[in-house]
Amino acid sequence: MSAVSDSRRASILGTGLIGSSVALALKGQGWIVSGVDGDESRAREAEAAGVIDAVGLDSAADLVVVAVPVSSLAAAVAAALLACPAATVTDVGSVKAAIARRVHDPRFVGGHPMAGSEQDGLKGADATLFNGATWVLTPTETTDANRYADLRATIMSIGADVVELPPERHDALVALVSHVPHLTAATLMGLAASQAEEHSALLRLAAGGFRDMTRIAAGHPAIWPDICVENRDAILDGLDALSDALAAVRATVAEGDRSGLLVKLEAARAARINLPARFATAEELVELRIPVPDRKGVLAEITTLAGDLDVSIVDLEIAHSVEGDRGVLIVTIDALASDRVSAALIERGYKPSASPVGR
Amino acid sequence: MSAVSDSRRASILGTGLIGSSVALALKGQGWIVSGVDGDESRAREAEAAGVIDAVGLDSAADLVVVAVPVSSLAAAVAAALLACPAATVTDVGSVKAAIARRVHDPRFVGGHPMAGSEQDGLKGADATLFNGATWVLTPTETTDANRYADLRATIMSIGADVVELPPERHDALVALVSHVPHLTAATLMGLAASQAEEHSALLRLAAGGFRDMTRIAAGHPAIWPDICVENRDAILDGLDALSDALAAVRATVAEGDRSGLLVKLEAARAARINLPARFATAEELVELRIPVPDRKGVLAEITTLAGDLDVSIVDLEIAHSVEGDRGVLIVTIDALASDRVSAALIERGYKPSASPVGR
């Protein structure tokens, strides 16, 4: 609590997408929020848009959220600790061990909200961005326990689910599920492109599975040099583990070990099917797989049908068979609505099959 | 042409999904089609369903299509060549060099239709399955040129685009764009699952990109042992090339070589963006990316809007940001309709951005 007001006071360092969204979310909870940015005009824009209440780093702030690029994180955190002597300081960087090694202050707690948006910067700012998102916090031995508990409560107040992890553990996990997969997708895509003397023939053989696997390689690469520098050790470990695992698969193929291959693929299949649903939710979810002909209006028909039945579509994708382009619409809905939607689909001539998702 | 009838005669060896669909497609072009299956009851069912005109291998057939599992391909092709002395014999196996090495008959042409369906077997049989699909043919030096030209014309008559490739080249290409990516997806999934002592935390950190990359690992693994045996050499070459390429990426990360990493990622991005559109089509296509809030009815609203404007949605997916679960609806439509649909979306408060797909 601030001494001079009922409202708690926060400062945001970096008014990009995440910083601006944190500002809006905190304002929604009654906080008074100021902010600065390396580019002062961005902070002025955020003020003009009502995203922050004032431009500036508030020396009386209870909380400072540092939302700057990973490469300038350490300097920004140090500045915030100096400028705001009463504040708990947290950051939103996607790599955590490096900053934890550099900052040993009981007022600092590292953090990483697993949220983003298609639109960068102020344009994408959204008070509900963290609703249902996972927000990792990485307290260390030096972190003040009361400050950590307060920060955790604040983050939960804006809708996020807090997961507590040691910094090194966080980095190893995101290396495995984000950084190494991204590098692998780019490598597979580069390999296919470079080895294709008959480029067009190769790419015409690339069906849905290849498209799915390489989709993330189409993203803008600008963030990756920083991530690869900051999380270098965990990424190298992840790449080494992948390399070892691929060598084991290679041996299985080379030996023609059919049952060994099946064991590996079955284990991967079970793990993939058990991946939690994308959306944090209390409901049980069901995936309806609906083979769809390639005709006009089928998507509108099915999504409208769900709307008419007052069923919310949690997720939707068009999957393609291993080979070829036939579509299967995969619609994720509340399990309680599954029978109702299936019956309505069958009535209209579709052949849906239902399976539970998540666990 | 058959001597006794105006209709050409075909026999299908193997009345599963592909065999039955070929039968229906040929019947649609006026062919008289008979068929057999290792499981005789399946052939009887196909006859009862009107998929084939008669059960049996027609000794007067002009064409035999062998659609049996890869492991029994060579024996089935040999049997067809013997039983149908006038017929051109082709197959639909997903690996081509092995059969080309075993069969040296001017009447044989290897083939591989890149088509599939969510539903296996007779249930999935569909005369239009090959419409717009790529169908690889792998003629060799021994293949009779006239027979090859006839077969090519027949396949084009049922709607497929024929791509001619040497058998080994076909196998190397599908290893790169299908077999190796599949094994890699399963390996990444297995790695993440096995390394996760804190399994639930790991999997909650797995955002859209990881889900996309590992989606194919959720498929039934039963077909893979055969494929890995039959296409062993090309798969091993592909795995070795991937391993080398990953080692190069590792070196780039280990050295902190930012510009080297950017070059690799930019090249992969360009290649991925230039992947031809999923659907064979003469039209220019545009991808509209539409950030969508998590509210009921948004899919129905957008798909209905497209229908009202008489615009066919060629493809649709919900993409998620690198981190988190925010949805962006990616709708692929005819480029000519792009401005119309964008204007209507903007009128309703959406913020679409358009980019061309394919080249």
Side-chain angles (χ1 to χ4, degrees):
Chain A
M1 288 288 173
S2 155
V4 294
S5 153
D6 276 356
S7 284
R8 296 206 285 175
R9 307 173 70 94
S11 273
I12 308 296
L13 223 161
T15 56
L17 169 73
I18 300 290
S20 294
S21 296
V22 171
L24 284 173
L26 289 175
K27 282 181 67 175
Q29 296 299 313
W31 290 65
I32 294 171
V33 182
S34 56
V36 293
D37 196 281
D39 175 352
E40 203 191 318
S41 67
R42 291 217 308 178
R44 297 267 165 231
E45 277 172 46
E47 185 189 22
V51 166
I52 53 176
D53 298 304
V55 173
L57 201 51
D58 181 355
S59 61
D62 304 290
L63 173 65
V64 178
V65 179
V66 177
V68 300
V70 164
S71 54
S72 40
L73 201 51
V77 166
L81 287 165
L82 273 172
C84 308
T88 298
V89 176
T90 189
D91 77 304
V92 300
S94 53
V95 178
K96 300 267 63 80
I99 187 76
R101 274 194 302 269
R102 277 172 234 168
V103 181
H104 298 278
D105 191 302
R107 291 191 285 128
F108 175 71
V109 189
H112 179 201
M114 310 292 286
S117 164
E118 177 75 358
Q119 293 192 292
D120 286 342
L122 194 58
K123 271 193 307 191
D126 181 350
T128 68
L129 187 63
F130 309 106
N131 223 330
T134 297
W135 191 311
V136 178
L137 288 178
T138 58
T140 63
E141 286 173 11
T142 52
T143 306
D144 180 271
N146 290 331
R147 287 183 179 272
Y148 173 66
D150 274 356
L151 177 63
R152 186 186 167 89
T154 298
I155 289 170
M156 289 171 69
S157 78
I158 61 173
D161 292 328
V162 172
V163 171
E164 183 181 324
L165 287 172
E168 295 74 18
R169 184 85 193 129
H170 165 275
D171 289 359
L173 293 180
V174 294
L176 272 180
V177 297
S178 173
H179 306 164
V180 168
H182 190 101
L183 294 173
T184 306
T187 304
L188 274 170
M189 188 67 241
L191 189 63
S194 73
Q195 299 244 330
E197 299 145 48
E198 289 160 85
H199 199 65
S200 61
L202 174 85
L203 297 184
R204 288 182 64 190
L205 303 194
F210 185 76
R211 300 186 67 90
D212 279 349
M213 271 209 79
T214 55
R215 181 166 301 126
I216 50 176
H220 282 285
I223 59 168
W224 290 100
D226 269 0
I227 288 177
C228 286
V229 166
E230 295 290 324
N231 202 23
R232 196 183 70 158
D233 294 347
I235 291 174
L236 293 179
D237 286 350
L239 285 171
D240 289 342
L242 174 62
S243 169
D244 290 350
L246 281 173
V249 170
R250 189 197 190 281
T252 311
V253 174
E255 289 158 17
D257 176 3
R258 289 166 177 269
S259 59
L261 188 68
L262 270 182
V263 166
K264 278 186 207 295
L265 295 178
E266 288 286 5
R269 176 167 196 255
R272 180 60 179 75
I273 288 171
N274 287 336
L275 262 191
R278 273 173 185 161
F279 294 80
T281 167
E283 325 150 44
E284 292 282 309
L285 296 176
V286 154
E287 222 175 60
L288 287 182
R289 298 176 73 86
I290 314 161
V292 289
D294 180 20
R295 66 178 161 86
K296 224 171 264 192
V298 62
L299 286 166
E301 183 179 359
I302 291 173
T303 53
T304 302
L305 184 150
D308 290 349
L309 295 171
D310 200 30
V311 172
S312 188
I313 292 177
V314 177
D315 199 10
L316 177 148
E317 66 178 292
I318 299 184
H320 298 81
S321 13
V322 176
E323 306 197 325
D325 293 328
R326 282 289 146 139
V328 183
L329 196 62
I330 306 179
V331 176
T332 307
I333 55 172
D334 186 339
L336 297 174
S338 171
D339 289 350
R340 210 152 30 110
V341 174
S342 292
L345 285 168
I346 291 167
E347 202 172 284
R348 278 164 182 78
Y350 294 100
K351 297 176 178 171
S353 57
S355 58
V357 284
R359 273 297 154 95
Chain B
M1 290 285 175
S2 156
V4 294
S5 155
D6 276 356
S7 286
R8 296 206 283 174
R9 308 173 70 93
S11 273
I12 308 295
L13 223 161
T15 56
L17 169 73
I18 299 289
S20 293
S21 297
V22 171
L24 284 173
L26 289 175
K27 282 180 67 174
Q29 296 299 312
W31 290 65
I32 295 170
V33 182
S34 56
V36 294
D37 196 280
D39 175 353
E40 202 190 319
S41 67
R42 290 217 308 177
R44 298 265 167 235
E45 277 172 47
E47 185 189 22
V51 166
I52 52 176
D53 298 304
V55 173
L57 201 51
D58 181 353
S59 62
D62 304 289
L63 173 66
V64 178
V65 179
V66 178
V68 300
V70 164
S71 55
S72 40
L73 201 52
V77 166
L81 287 165
L82 274 173
C84 307
T88 298
V89 175
T90 189
D91 76 304
V92 301
S94 53
V95 179
K96 301 266 62 81
I99 187 75
R101 275 195 301 269
R102 277 171 235 168
V103 181
H104 298 278
D105 191 302
R107 291 192 285 129
F108 175 71
V109 189
H112 179 201
M114 310 293 286
S117 164
E118 177 76 355
Q119 293 191 292
D120 286 342
L122 194 57
K123 272 193 307 191
D126 180 350
T128 68
L129 187 63
F130 309 106
N131 223 330
T134 296
W135 191 312
V136 178
L137 288 178
T138 57
T140 62
E141 286 175 11
T142 51
T143 306
D144 180 272
N146 289 331
R147 288 182 180 272
Y148 173 67
D150 274 356
L151 177 63
R152 187 185 165 91
T154 298
I155 289 170
M156 289 172 68
S157 79
I158 62 174
D161 291 327
V162 172
V163 171
E164 183 183 323
L165 288 171
E168 294 74 17
R169 184 85 193 130
H170 165 275
D171 289 359
L173 292 179
V174 292
L176 272 181
V177 297
S178 173
H179 306 164
V180 167
H182 190 102
L183 293 173
T184 305
T187 304
L188 273 171
M189 188 67 241
L191 189 64
S194 73
Q195 298 244 331
E197 297 144 47
E198 288 160 84
H199 198 66
S200 61
L202 174 84
L203 296 184
R204 288 181 63 189
L205 304 194
F210 185 76
R211 300 186 67 91
D212 279 350
M213 271 210 79
T214 55
R215 181 166 301 124
I216 50 175
H220 282 286
I223 59 167
W224 290 99
D226 269 359
I227 287 177
C228 287
V229 167
E230 294 290 326
N231 202 23
R232 196 184 69 160
D233 294 347
I235 291 174
L236 293 179
D237 286 349
L239 285 171
D240 290 343
L242 174 62
S243 169
D244 290 349
L246 281 172
V249 170
R250 189 198 190 283
T252 310
V253 175
E255 289 158 18
D257 176 2
R258 289 166 177 269
S259 60
L261 188 68
L262 270 182
V263 166
K264 278 186 207 296
L265 296 178
E266 288 286 6
R269 177 167 195 256
R272 179 59 179 75
I273 288 171
N274 287 336
L275 263 190
R278 273 173 186 160
F279 295 81
T281 166
E283 322 150 47
E284 292 283 309
L285 295 176
V286 155
E287 224 175 58
L288 287 183
R289 299 177 73 86
I290 314 162
V292 289
D294 180 20
R295 66 178 160 84
K296 225 172 263 190
V298 62
L299 287 166
E301 183 180 358
I302 291 173
T303 54
T304 302
L305 184 151
D308 289 349
L309 295 172
D310 199 30
V311 172
S312 189
I313 293 177
V314 176
D315 199 10
L316 178 148
E317 66 180 291
I318 299 185
H320 298 80
S321 15
V322 176
E323 306 196 326
D325 292 329
R326 283 288 146 139
V328 182
L329 196 62
I330 306 178
V331 176
T332 307
I333 56 172
D334 186 336
L336 297 174
S338 171
D339 289 349
R340 209 150 34 108
V341 174
S342 291
L345 286 167
I346 291 167
E347 201 171 287
R348 279 164 181 79
Y350 294 100
K351 297 174 179 172
S353 57
S355 57
V357 284
R359 274 294 156 98

